[in-house]
């Protein structure tokens, strides 16, 4: 994974060359990612699906995150980024069924890791009949959870300390269900500006 080649750019998206994923995160080079937020409908409320990252992940193991997301490789277009949905969740989603939310910058920094992303963000309304089945890529994703959208918005905006999430953890002999309360400490630490912007953009689409 660390040797994957990524297209490097400046913060405005102008190409600057190609670097390994490791170099990108060591030096904080700007690069582009694909983010797909999936929404559902339960008990007359909008919901958001969050993936639970595998404990085997190098970065942020065991934390909840965007439904499906990943780096765009040096030779990939934004449209080809939809592969992340199939690879991570086992769902075949056509790119033209996604709702384009726009490009949102996301920055985070910690010892040995500087992440400056230009995120191409999309929304996918899940079928209301729930005729789908997640087939998780277990080395990447260990489970899925569903949370009320407005509750999640309150958490991201600092108005709530915890939200209730329920879902499943995938195991070789089947799924183990869970229902619990989580806070920001249980979610990948995206920048507050990214979280506020993504909530605004999703809400705009849900209210159309």
């Amino acid at each position: 994974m660390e040797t994957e080649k990524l297209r490097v750019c400046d913060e405005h998206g102008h190409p600057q060359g190609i670097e390994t994923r490791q170099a990108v995160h060591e030096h904080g080079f700007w690069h582009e990612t694909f983010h797909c937020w999936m929404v559902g409908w339960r008990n007359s409320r909008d919901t958001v699906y969050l993936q639970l990252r595998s404990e085997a992940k190098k970065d942020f193991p065991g934390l909840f995150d965007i439904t499906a997301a990943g780096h765009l490789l040096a030779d990939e277009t934004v449209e080809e980024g939809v592969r992340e949905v199939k690879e991570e969740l086992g769902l075949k989603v056509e790119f033209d069924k996604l709702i384009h939310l726009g490009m949102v910058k996301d920055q985070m920094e910690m010892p040995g890791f500087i992440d400056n992303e230009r995120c191409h963000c999309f929304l996918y309304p899940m079928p209301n009949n729930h005729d789908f089945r997640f087939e998780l890529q277990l080395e990447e994703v260990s489970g899925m959870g569903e949370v009320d959208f407005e509750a999640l918005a309150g958490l991201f905006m600092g108005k709530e300390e915890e939200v209730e999430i329920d879902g499943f953890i995938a195991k070789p002999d089947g799924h183990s269900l869970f229902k619990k309360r989580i806070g920001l400490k249980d979610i990948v630490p995206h920048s507050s500006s990214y979280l506020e912007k993504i909530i605004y953009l999703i809400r705009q689409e849900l209210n159309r």
Side-chain angles (χ1 to χ4, degrees):
M1 285 284 260
E2 294 301 306
T3 59
E4 285 179 340
K5 295 298 181 67
L6 307 182
R7 190 167 49 247
V8 172
C9 57
D10 64 17
E11 66 176 301
H12 306 292
H14 302 129
Q16 300 291 308
I18 295 174
E19 295 285 353
T20 64
R21 179 171 175 166
Q22 180 176 353
V24 163
H25 290 148
E26 283 181 353
H27 300 286
F29 297 136
W30 283 92
H31 56 290
E32 300 194 325
T33 55
F34 174 91
H35 290 186
C36 182
W37 291 85
M38 295 186 175
V39 294
W41 181 255
R42 179 187 291 188
N43 299 326
S44 301
R45 302 275 293 181
D46 291 306
T47 61
V48 177
Y49 290 87
L50 300 179
Q51 68 162 255
L52 180 62
R53 293 168 66 88
S54 168
E55 292 287 355
K57 292 283 288 182
K58 178 177 180 290
D59 302 320
F60 313 114
L63 296 185
F64 288 96
D65 200 6
I66 300 159
T67 324
H71 292 82
L72 290 176
L73 302 180
D75 59 351
E76 281 189 312
T77 64
V78 175
E79 290 78 7
E80 289 172 319
V82 75
R83 66 171 172 77
E84 294 286 351
V85 180
K86 176 63 176 176
E87 291 176 1
E88 294 186 351
L89 309 182
L91 300 179
K92 183 174 176 55
V93 174
E94 301 296 332
F95 183 77
D96 61 7
K97 296 296 192 295
L98 301 179
I99 299 169
H100 186 216
L101 297 176
M103 192 286 297
V104 184
K105 294 177 184 177
D106 189 16
Q107 297 178 270
M108 62 179 87
E109 183 174 351
M110 55 199 67
F113 184 85
I114 308 172
D115 200 22
N116 289 317
E117 297 184 11
R118 287 171 46 86
C119 313
H120 297 273
C121 299
F122 296 87
L123 187 69
Y124 179 68
M126 295 292 271
N128 287 333
N129 59 14
H130 283 204
D131 284 339
F132 58 86
R133 181 177 298 174
F134 292 110
E135 298 290 345
L136 304 182
Q137 183 182 21
L138 294 183
E139 60 268 30
E140 297 284 334
V141 184
S142 62
M144 293 294 299
E146 189 176 9
V147 61
D148 180 89
F149 169 72
E150 288 301 335
L152 187 66
L155 182 67
F156 285 176
M157 302 291 285
K159 298 178 181 178
E160 301 287 344
E161 291 188 4
E162 291 185 331
V163 296
E164 185 173 276
I165 186 169
D166 62 282
F168 69 88
I169 295 175
K171 297 184 176 181
D173 56 349
H175 290 169
S176 172
L177 301 180
F178 68 80
K179 177 177 287 189
K180 60 183 180 179
R181 296 188 67 79
I182 62 171
L184 286 178
K185 65 179 175 38
D186 303 300
I187 299 174
V188 171
H190 297 282
S191 65
S192 58
S193 60
Y194 172 87
L195 295 177
E196 291 172 8
K197 183 67 173 180
I198 206 68
I199 286 297
Y200 170 78
L201 293 171
I202 292 176
R203 183 180 278 128
Q204 275 194 315
E205 291 298 331
L206 295 179
N207 290 341
R208 287 187 187 278

